[in-house]
Amino acid sequence: MQIFTSLVILLSLGYLSFASAGEEGAHLNKKVSPLTRVGYDAGYIITAPLRMDAHDIKKFLLFSGVTYGLMTMEDRINKNVRQWNYEKIAEFVEPRSSGRVTNSEYAYGLGAGIGAVYLYGLAARDIKLQETILLVIEASAINSISTIGLKYIFGRPRPYQTDYDRDDFYPFSGLNGFPSGHTSSAFTVAQVVSRQYPTRWVKIPAYTLAALLGFQRIYSASHGAGDVFASAMLGMWVGDTICNLDKAWKNDDILVFSNGFRIKF
């Protein structure tokens, strides 16, 4: 709820910031405030389904088919994963010395890590690292909102919620098993970092850590394989889109008008 409220405030301020300009025609991108830019980026991602063409629909159907296929095999996959002797991997990804890591602890830990890296970028005067962290923050925030919204829309139970049928969905019921917020966040960060530093020395560790986190979500019975796969794809798409939008803003490929904005790429 706090994240949702934050996004509403963010979008509202972004809209008011732009509307108060009151200028005719297109603004130069350098005159668009960062807050307005984030608001437009969020709006572009949230409204993406409205702009799907035939090619997008084909990819979405393929994605949906794979997700559904994994969901039908989740009981078998989850059982096999839990039988494997991978306790050390699960503990490495999510320590259990004091019980399961809560969402708040995960968020605080991730936030502290991102903040520390950004401060290092400031101290080292590393502009690219600073830009990368800002992109990670923006992409992670938008991904979190998208994930939370989808959780409540679908209302899928988690594997340990045995009072519900996992083959059914309970929209707006408060059940939040699909998609996985941890997994989508991890792959969002991995995608942004990999786009900013496109070398195998960055990509392999980034995606490996994200995949290990997805594995842990299955191992702990917090999510099924279908949930984790869909979340990984969602996170990578959000991260990739934010990087594409960042490039478009820098190249003046986004023209902002008094009645909206237009992307040329």
Side-chain angles (χ1 to χ4, degrees), residues 26 30 57-58 63 74-75 80 87 92 94 100 113 131 134 140 151 172 175 177 197 213 223 233 244 255-256 262 265:
K30 62 182 180 181
I57 293 175
K58 289 180 181 179
F63 159 79
E74 277 184 346
D75 289 341
N80 290 336
E87 287 88 351
F92 171 76
E94 182 175 301
R100 180 174 295 176
E131 291 180 346
L134 292 177
S140 297
K151 281 178 178 287
F172 306 103
L175 297 173
Y197 299 93
L213 182 55
H223 294 282
M233 296 298 102
N244 288 339
L255 302 178
V256 183
R262 188 176 305 159
F265 72 88

Side-chain angles (χ1 to χ4, degrees), residues 78-173:
N78 289 10
K79 181 179 179 180
N80 290 336
V81 167
R82 292 191 63 78
Q83 286 178 343
W84 293 338
N85 189 25
Y86 284 159
E87 287 88 351
K88 295 301 180 182
I89 295 179
E91 290 174 0
F92 171 76
V93 179
E94 182 175 301
R96 292 168 178 272
S97 58
S98 59
R100 180 174 295 176
V101 173
T102 65
N103 289 335
S104 296
E105 292 171 336
Y106 175 80
Y108 292 146
L110 182 62
I114 291 175
V117 174
Y118 184 72
L119 290 177
Y120 171 79
L122 288 175
R125 298 183 179 180
D126 190 330
I127 302 300
K128 185 174 182 179
L129 182 58
Q130 295 175 40
E131 291 180 346
T132 300
I133 294 302
L134 292 177
L135 287 175
V136 164
I137 293 173
E138 178 186 359
S140 297
I142 295 174
N143 172 75
S144 295
I145 297 302
S146 303
T147 301
I148 291 173
L150 291 173
K151 281 178 178 287
Y152 285 97
I153 290 173
F154 284 101
R156 191 179 194 218
R158 295 175 182 265
Y160 62 76
Q161 295 175 314
T162 55
D163 293 338
Y164 298 91
D165 186 350
R166 282 275 291 170
D167 293 331
D168 292 334
F169 292 87
Y170 306 84
F172 306 103
S173 62

Side-chain angles (χ1 to χ4, degrees), residues 22-254:
E23 298 180 23
E24 296 295 333
H27 296 276
L28 293 176
N29 292 339
K30 62 182 180 181
K31 293 184 179 180
V32 176
S33 71
L35 190 58
T36 301
R37 170 177 159 172
V38 172
Y40 279 132
D41 289 353
Y44 181 83
I45 288 178
I46 293 172
T47 60
L50 303 178
R51 298 187 302 275
M52 292 177 66
D53 56 20
H55 181 65
D56 294 329
I57 293 175
K58 289 180 181 179
K59 291 192 295 185
F60 177 75
L61 291 176
L62 176 61
F63 159 79
S64 300
V66 174
T67 300
Y68 177 76
L70 289 172
M71 286 181 173
T72 61
M73 298 186 293
E74 277 184 346
D75 289 341
R76 185 189 315 167
I77 295 174
N78 289 10
K79 181 179 179 180
N80 290 336
V81 167
R82 292 191 63 78
Q83 286 178 343
W84 293 338
N85 189 25
Y86 284 159
E87 287 88 351
K88 295 301 180 182
I89 295 179
E91 290 174 0
F92 171 76
V93 179
E94 182 175 301
R96 292 168 178 272
S97 58
S98 59
R100 180 174 295 176
V101 173
T102 65
N103 289 335
S104 296
E105 292 171 336
Y106 175 80
Y108 292 146
L110 182 62
I114 291 175
V117 174
Y118 184 72
L119 290 177
Y120 171 79
L122 288 175
R125 298 183 179 180
D126 190 330
I127 302 300
K128 185 174 182 179
L129 182 58
Q130 295 175 40
E131 291 180 346
T132 300
I133 294 302
L134 292 177
L135 287 175
V136 164
I137 293 173
E138 178 186 359
S140 297
I142 295 174
N143 172 75
S144 295
I145 297 302
S146 303
T147 301
I148 291 173
L150 291 173
K151 281 178 178 287
Y152 285 97
I153 290 173
F154 284 101
R156 191 179 194 218
R158 295 175 182 265
Y160 62 76
Q161 295 175 314
T162 55
D163 293 338
Y164 298 91
D165 186 350
R166 282 275 291 170
D167 293 331
D168 292 334
F169 292 87
Y170 306 84
F172 306 103
S173 62
L175 297 173
N176 58 359
F178 177 87
S180 165
H182 290 75
T183 306
S184 64
S185 296
F187 276 92
T188 296
V189 175
Q191 186 70 13
V192 172
V193 172
S194 297
R195 281 285 303 269
Q196 289 291 100
Y197 299 93
T199 68
R200 61 182 177 180
W201 304 110
V202 172
K203 290 182 177 181
I204 293 176
Y207 289 120
T208 298
L209 289 174
L212 285 174
L213 182 55
F215 161 82
Q216 190 282 328
R217 304 311 288 165
I218 298 175
Y219 184 87
S220 64
S222 297
H223 294 282
D227 305 330
V228 169
F229 171 77
S231 304
M233 296 298 102
L234 172 64
M236 291 175 66
W237 175 76
V238 171
D240 204 51
T241 302
I242 288 298
C243 289
N244 288 339
L245 288 170
D246 177 65
K247 182 178 180 181
W249 283 108
K250 290 178 178 178
N251 294 339
D252 285 340
D253 288 335
I254 298 180

